[in-house]
Amino acid sequence: MGKIIYKTESEIQKIHQSSLIVSKTLAEVGRSIEPGISTAELDKIAESFIISQGAKPAFKGYRGFPGTLCVSVNAQVVHGMPSDYKLKEGDIISVDCGAVKDGWYGDSAYTFAVGVISEELKQLLRVTKEALQLGIDAAIEGARLGDISAAVQTHAEKHKYGVVRELVGHGIGRSLHEGPDVPNYGKRGNGMKLARGLVIAIEPMINLGRKEVKQLDDGWTIITQDGKPSAHFEHTIAIGKGKPEILTTFEEIEKVKAAQL
Ligand code: MG
Ligand code: MG
């Protein structure tokens, strides 16, 4: 776990700028998600859009990662690499994106349906997004880190889903990953106290089946051990007075998706 660094109001505004670029990028990617497009093509769309906004992709080159996006299809949980794989009707694809502008990072992820997906998958996506929102709702000044974790875990497990343990949310700011770790499992009342100026990425990774995951030989891609699909939603948020400030947004993405229906 990296160092915990509290941010001033003006620093949070910088992170907000980068975060909004990430959100717009995800909407641009979402616009192009349809059967037949390759994940490498989605990656190109994201890279040129981020650059057009005067920002830089945060993931490209991060510990040698080759893409602007992490694209994780079906049983891939996170950290999938863009490739010539062409999306198929009924797939789900988790798209994780980071951008850096003026030295400040934003980070967000959204799991998209490719064409028409099964009711089972629709529910997985809905519940994972709800778990993220419940985690955010728990992220108030004076609460504990474990309150966020417990909110996410309780909601996912109520639906008999597996909550991934090995990968967690994180602080964010001048680095993509700072302290504290933000696990998606834990106990209410445990962990550090949340104070104003803390900026974190909350990112539940929820499996349709069991919680266990493994890494592929490519050194990046994380997949479920049981081969069942997994969903991932992420927001960058700031702890403030009262309600947390959500710095990334799904609004643009969901406008695009509604227009496609
Ligand atoms: Mg991310
Ligand atoms: Mg993240």
Side-chain angles (χ1 to χ4, degrees):
M1 178 172 102
K3 226 180 127 190
I4 296 169
I5 305 162
Y6 294 88
K7 279 82 184 179
T8 65
E9 206 38 61
S10 70
E11 289 172 337
I12 290 172
Q13 285 324 303
K14 297 268 193 194
I15 299 173
H16 197 187
Q17 290 312 307
S18 307
S19 296
L20 290 177
I21 291 171
V22 170
S23 301
K24 283 187 193 157
T25 308
L26 288 175
E28 285 305 308
V29 170
R31 205 187 299 282
S32 301
I33 287 180
E34 56 180 14
I37 193 162
S38 74
T39 57
E41 287 172 278
L42 296 177
D43 193 67
K44 282 221 166 56
I45 291 167
E47 182 173 11
S48 6
F49 186 79
I50 290 173
I51 290 168
S52 80
Q53 302 297 299
K56 272 194 277 189
F59 298 171
K60 200 166 185 160
Y62 183 87
R63 297 186 182 161
F65 189 78
T68 290
L69 300 176
C70 292
V71 281
S72 308
V73 179
N74 298 335
Q76 298 178 347
V77 180
V78 286
H79 302 169
M81 289 187 285
S83 73
D84 57 10
Y85 175 80
K86 287 187 167 63
L87 296 178
K88 292 199 297 278
E89 179 91 21
D91 282 349
I92 56 170
I93 176 174
S94 300
V95 182
D96 194 348
C97 182
V100 54
K101 190 174 184 183
D102 301 330
W104 295 93
Y105 285 80
D107 189 7
S108 182
Y110 196 94
T111 302
F112 295 89
V114 182
V116 179
I117 60 171
S118 67
E119 288 303 319
E120 190 181 45
L121 287 178
K122 277 185 197 165
Q123 179 180 288
L124 175 68
L125 268 47
R126 179 174 55 75
V127 170
T128 306
K129 199 167 78 166
E130 286 168 357
L132 169 59
Q133 187 56 51
L134 291 166
I136 293 171
D137 293 344
I140 51 175
E141 190 182 14
R144 299 271 175 180
L145 196 60
D147 298 347
I148 300 175
S149 309
V152 171
Q153 180 181 15
T154 304
H155 192 61
E157 291 183 348
K158 198 159 66 184
H159 292 84
K160 308 272 182 281
Y161 294 148
V163 177
V164 174
R165 300 294 199 271
E166 289 85 347
L167 300 127
V168 296
H170 50 92
I172 181 167
R174 280 197 179 278
S175 308
L176 180 59
H177 296 119
E178 299 178 354
D181 282 350
V182 184
N184 296 303
Y185 62 96
K187 289 202 166 55
R188 275 181 62 185
N190 275 8
M192 65 174 279
K193 214 174 222 181
L194 304 175
R196 222 183 296 183
L198 188 66
V199 180
I200 53 175
I202 304 178
E203 48 179 315
M205 288 149 256
I206 306 297
N207 299 344
L208 184 64
R210 297 181 53 83
K211 66 180 186 300
E212 286 77 19
V213 298
K214 61 181 177 186
Q215 190 173 44
L216 294 184
D217 289 340
D218 63 18
W220 281 105
T221 317
I222 305 292
I223 65 167
T224 58
Q225 276 191 24
D226 63 11
K228 292 191 179 168
S230 182
H232 180 211
F233 288 85
E234 175 180 25
H235 272 314
T236 295
I237 70 153
I239 311 296
K241 209 173 142 66
K243 265 175 59 168
E245 190 184 356
I246 308 178
L247 304 175
T248 45
T249 172
F250 294 153
E251 233 170 77
E252 303 260 341
I253 297 172
E254 292 179 349
K255 253 188 242 162
V256 166
K257 282 173 26 128
Q260 285 172 338
L261 292 176

